[in-house]
Amino acid sequence: MDGVLVHEGSALPGAPEFIARLTELDRPFLVLTNNSIFTPRDLAARLAASGIPVPEERIWTSALATANFVHQQLPGGSAYVIGEAGLTTALYGAGYTMTDTDPDYVILGETRTYSFSAITRAIRLVEGGARFIATNPDPTGPSQEGPLPATGAVAALITKATGRTPYFIGKPNPVMIRAALNRIEAHSETTAMVGDRMDTDVLAGMEAGLHTFLVLTGSTGAHDVEKYPFRPSEVRQSIADLVDLI
C-alpha cells in the first residue's frame, strides 16, 4: 500500500489506473499492509481520499492475518492485546476474547502510544506461559516528525526481558501471503506481488512462490537491490509501468 499506491496521503503515479484496470477486468486482488493500527474500512477511506477507490474487502492487513492465524491454531481462544482498533476488531471478528488474566496468547501490534504498564503486563504473561505473537517485525514506522518505534522494536524489548521470541505473522512471513491467496481463491503460479521493500514485500512474495515486482517509489532504491542475496522477478520505476501488463 504505502510506497506502491500512496505516499503521505497522495496517490502515486499510475496507482488509480492500476486499481481501475484490475476492477474493470474483474481480476482478484488484495492491497496488503503490515500496519495493524487501522481497520480495512479506515484504510479504504484513506485510499478513497487519495483518489483510489478500493472496497474494504480488498484490503488485507497484518491484523487480519494474525486473527486468521490464531483462529486456525486455537479457535475461540483468548488474548492479551497491545494494539489499536485494527487488531482488536479483527480478533473480535475471529471469535477471540480479550483478557489480561491467563490468556492463550499475548498479541503485540502497533499503537500510537505504547504503554509501559501494558508492556510490563505482557512480559509477565509471556513469562507465565502465554504464547507470544506479533503482527509484524517492522522496527520503526513513519511519522511527520521522523521514525517511531514500532512492533518489531517493542517485541525485541519483550524478548530481551523474557527470552521468548514472538512468531511474526506479517510480511515477510509467507503465512500472510498464503492466507491472502486463500482469501481470493488464487494460486501462487498465477499471482504476483508488487511491493516497494526488498526485505518484506519481495522476500514474502518469493518465499510464497509468487512473481515479484519491485517498484522504486518507496523504501528500496535501485542501488539497494544488489545488497540482498535474493532478487525480485522484475524491477520497475512505479506501478504505472504495470498497468498494461494486467
Side-chain angles (χ1 to χ4, degrees), residues 57-103:
E57 62 269 18
R58 291 296 189 188
I59 297 175
W60 187 241
T61 70
S62 64
L64 289 171
T66 298
N68 180 74
F69 177 81
V70 295
H71 172 70
Q72 290 180 339
Q73 294 289 309
L74 187 64
S78 61
Y80 177 72
V81 179
I82 297 177
E84 300 212 16
L87 181 54
T88 55
T89 300
L91 289 166
Y92 279 128
Y96 257 62
T97 301
M98 310 297 119
T99 181
D100 64 354
T101 304
D102 194 27

Side-chain angles (χ1 to χ4, degrees), residues 1-244:
M1 182 171 165
D2 292 297
V4 176
L5 298 180
V6 293
H7 176 67
E8 294 183 354
S10 299
L12 285 165
E17 294 80 4
F18 183 81
I19 296 297
R21 180 70 63 85
L22 289 171
T23 303
E24 175 190 350
L25 298 177
D26 198 28
R27 295 288 174 85
F29 72 93
L30 288 174
V31 174
L32 274 62
T33 177
N34 259 3
N35 190 315
S36 65
I37 291 178
F38 303 105
T39 67
R41 184 171 298 178
D42 297 331
L43 295 171
R46 177 185 166 197
L47 287 168
S50 302
I52 310 172
V54 176
E56 59 183 276
E57 62 269 18
R58 291 296 189 188
I59 297 175
W60 187 241
T61 70
S62 64
L64 289 171
T66 298
N68 180 74
F69 177 81
V70 295
H71 172 70
Q72 290 180 339
Q73 294 289 309
L74 187 64
S78 61
Y80 177 72
V81 179
I82 297 177
E84 300 212 16
L87 181 54
T88 55
T89 300
L91 289 166
Y92 279 128
Y96 257 62
T97 301
M98 310 297 119
T99 181
D100 64 354
T101 304
D102 194 27
D104 297 305
Y105 292 98
V106 166
I107 300 179
L108 175 67
E110 283 184 83
T111 176
R112 298 176 184 88
T113 53
Y114 284 104
S115 160
F116 183 78
S117 61
I119 293 170
T120 301
R121 184 62 181 158
I123 288 169
R124 292 171 181 169
L125 291 169
V126 170
E127 286 186 327
R131 304 165 181 88
F132 186 19
I133 282 183
T135 57
N136 68 82
D138 300 354
T140 62
S143 77
Q144 292 182 343
E145 294 77 26
L148 293 172
T151 308
V154 179
L157 187 160
I158 296 174
T159 294
K160 188 69 173 178
T162 63
R164 300 272 297 280
T165 301
Y167 183 62
F168 292 105
I169 303 296
K171 301 174 294 181
N173 191 340
V175 163
M176 181 174 177
I177 310 306
R178 294 192 182 108
L181 291 170
N182 291 336
R183 188 178 177 90
I184 58 174
E185 299 181 341
H187 193 280
S188 59
E189 291 183 0
T190 54
T191 304
M193 163 73 89
V194 182
D196 71 306
R197 292 184 64 115
M198 286 288 291
D199 57 350
T200 55
D201 303 325
V202 171
L203 181 57
M206 181 192 71
E207 291 190 347
L210 278 59
H211 192 91
T212 56
F213 290 95
L214 175 71
V215 293
L216 303 177
T217 47
S219 298
T220 302
H223 61 283
D224 296 318
V225 175
E226 297 301 327
K227 298 176 183 178
Y228 292 88
F230 53 89
R231 295 184 61 85
S233 305
E234 301 184 44
V235 179
R236 300 297 177 103
Q237 286 298 314
S238 74
I239 203 167
D241 297 333
L242 304 181
V243 176
D244 290 337

